[in-house]
Amino acid sequence: MIGRVNHIAIAVPDLTAAAASYRDTLGAAVSEPQALPEHGVMVVFVELPNTKVELLEPLGEASPIAAFLEKNPSGGMHHICYEVDDILVARDRLAASGARVLGNGEPKIGAHGKPVLFLHPKDFFGTLIELEQA
Ligand code: CO
């Protein structure tokens, strides 16, 4: 059911410093910071030959990554995003197998303009999973 890794998201306390580290120390191509207010994050996209890394910094009061950074003040891997062909088919299959879909179970439009869902990390070995319809 799941296909390519679309991106790996890393929550960071200082986006400027994290982008500089990926650019200067790891030698990666990084984007300019972009504000995604509807998702409560500032993001820098790190373009790699086979996938993307997204560096996320909280934006605004109700950022979904604020609590994660309180628990992991120096940052940490926040989620991995897998592509699926049909997000509603994927959701129904997961629900039928007992996996918990976060929120109200309806896909939202994600950072790339495509429908996404998140799955409970306790059902997948401590990793928050995002599914994105490719
Ligand atoms: Co994501």
Side-chain angles (χ1 to χ4, degrees), residues 23-54:
R23 184 186 60 232
D24 302 333
T25 308
L26 293 173
V30 305
S31 75
E32 289 299 312
Q34 293 176 32
L36 299 175
E38 67 277 23
H39 295 288
V41 294
M42 289 282 294
V43 60
V44 163
F45 297 99
V46 181
E47 293 289 344
L48 301 174
N50 62 340
T51 192
K52 293 185 288 286
V53 171
E54 297 182 2

Side-chain angles (χ1 to χ4, degrees), residues 4-20:
R4 290 159 43 92
V5 173
N6 183 275
H7 61 272
I8 297 158
I10 301 173
V12 302
D14 181 335
L15 191 58
T16 304

Side-chain angles (χ1 to χ4, degrees), residues 66-115:
F68 180 89
L69 276 171
E70 270 170 38
K71 284 187 227 150
N72 304 276
S74 57
M77 203 194 102
H78 185 259
H79 64 268
I80 184 163
C81 177
Y82 300 116
E83 295 179 357
V84 294
D85 290 333
D86 185 320
I87 201 149
L88 295 177
V89 168
R91 176 196 64 188
D92 293 347
R93 175 170 162 174
L94 286 156
S97 65
R100 287 168 284 180
V101 176
L102 300 186
N104 65 4
E106 293 307 314
K108 290 194 174 136
I109 297 303
H112 314 114
K114 297 184 172 165

